[in-house]
Amino acid sequence: IVIISYNEEKNIGRCIRSVKAVADEVVVLDSFSTDRTAEIVRELGGSFHQQTFTGYGAQKNAAATLASNNYILFLDADELLSEELVKSIQQEKERGFPYDGYRMNRLSNYCGHWIRHGSWYPDRKVRLVNRQKASWTADIVHESLVPEPGSRICWIPGDLLHYTYSSLEEHTEKNNRYSTLSARLLFQKGKKASKFSIVFNPLWAFIRSYLLRAGFLDGFPGFIIAIQIAHLTFLKHSKLYHIQK
């Protein structure tokens, strides 16, 4: 299991405990936390390392080199494995991992509510891979784990449980940070924003999440999430527009 961290004392213990049944080792690459992250990792038998943060994708690639085995399950500190997902991974491990990588659903908890619709579910992620057959993109944000061409990828049942935000304030603050990074990334890739995209894209993001993907079935939290997705989209395109100017 490979995890990157920074000031994750609230989450890291829960994450590590959830993987005990499947992990041969737990490797944590930390960005010089100032809280009890290191102490908790070591108490739970994890291998703790530190490195200056170089971007999400680059940090995860660096963390992968610290692992002893080729098959790695990449987790964020605020994630954990459901019982069903633990069983699925155990079965694949017993079979000797016949596939190069495994995709799984991610189920998010938002302010105490499990979100089962909209843009947030099933939110399938490739997270368990043979490190010789996949690597993380070097994007500064919204990094993804990309298998090599021809790799055999299998979906396995069970949810990766993701504890996202505990408050609306926390969500709004992260929107602001992520939209800045996203705008820079889009600019680096030669993307352009217009006054039209600043107006239309947030509206479309809301419609897609709340109506087309049935976010309304999650009640008021589903509405708030759709609004926040639209807000993030608005900030991203507005900031890109200002970078262009």
Side-chain angles (χ1 to χ4, degrees):
I1 312 297
V2 166
I3 307 165
I4 65 170
S5 67
Y6 178 70
N7 286 348
E8 290 286 358
E9 65 178 8
K10 181 176 70 173
N11 296 312
I12 197 77
R14 178 180 59 196
C15 178
I16 293 175
R17 291 186 189 96
S18 79
V19 303
K20 285 294 186 181
V22 295
D24 293 307
E25 65 174 352
V26 175
V27 175
V28 176
L29 181 58
D30 183 77
S31 305
F32 296 98
S33 292
T34 56
D35 63 1
R36 295 182 59 250
T37 298
E39 180 183 343
I40 294 169
V41 171
R42 291 182 177 125
E43 284 178 354
L44 295 174
S47 174
F48 187 80
H49 308 265
Q50 289 185 308
Q51 172 182 288
T52 301
F53 186 73
T54 55
Y56 290 101
Q59 198 80 350
K60 291 176 181 179
N61 284 330
T65 66
L66 302 171
S68 302
N69 302 304
N70 283 331
Y71 273 85
I72 295 176
L73 174 63
F74 290 94
L75 293 178
D76 293 335
D78 59 359
E79 296 173 336
L80 63 152
L81 308 184
S82 67
E83 291 183 7
E84 184 180 12
L85 186 54
V86 167
K87 293 177 182 177
S88 295
I89 294 173
Q90 284 176 327
Q91 289 173 359
E92 294 306 304
K93 188 175 181 181
E94 290 168 0
R95 296 171 61 200
F97 292 119
Y99 292 89
D100 299 313
Y102 296 86
R103 183 178 287 107
M104 56 203 68
N105 294 353
R106 186 166 70 163
L107 176 63
S108 293
N109 187 292
Y110 183 74
C111 299
H113 301 274
W114 291 109
I115 305 302
R116 301 181 183 277
H117 308 89
S119 298
W120 280 16
Y121 192 78
D123 191 24
R124 290 183 174 175
K125 304 289 185 184
V126 176
R127 288 296 190 83
L128 173 57
V129 294
N130 181 344
R131 66 178 171 186
Q132 297 177 320
K133 295 292 187 72
S135 61
W136 290 89
T137 59
D139 296 333
I140 56 176
V141 68
H142 302 311
E143 73 288 355
S144 58
L145 186 55
V146 181
E148 292 182 355
S151 297
R152 299 173 67 236
I153 307 299
C154 174
W155 175 84
I156 54 175
D159 289 324
L160 182 62
L161 305 178
H162 182 210
Y163 284 83
T164 56
Y165 307 104
S166 58
S167 69
L168 190 59
E169 290 81 6
E170 183 184 351
H171 193 173
T172 302
E173 289 171 7
K174 195 164 186 179
N175 270 3
N176 192 36
R177 294 198 308 273
Y178 267 50
S179 60
T180 298
L181 294 173
S182 296
R184 291 175 185 170
L185 179 61
L186 289 172
F187 184 73
Q188 290 170 5
K189 292 184 174 183
K191 303 295 184 180
K192 299 289 185 180
S194 65
K195 293 178 180 178
F196 176 80
S197 70
I198 293 172
V199 174
F200 176 78
N201 286 22
L203 177 61
W204 173 245
F206 175 84
I207 292 172
R208 182 174 57 189
S209 178
Y210 192 65
L211 297 177
L212 300 184
R213 296 187 177 176
F216 58 87
L217 293 176
D218 287 308
F220 190 63
F223 175 75
I224 294 296
I225 289 169
I227 288 289
Q228 288 282 31
I229 290 172
H231 180 228
L232 174 62
T233 306
F234 168 76
L235 290 175
K236 177 173 63 179
H237 286 273
S238 297
K239 290 177 181 180
L240 176 59
Y241 186 78
H242 281 285
I243 291 173
Q244 294 166 201
K245 297 297 180 181

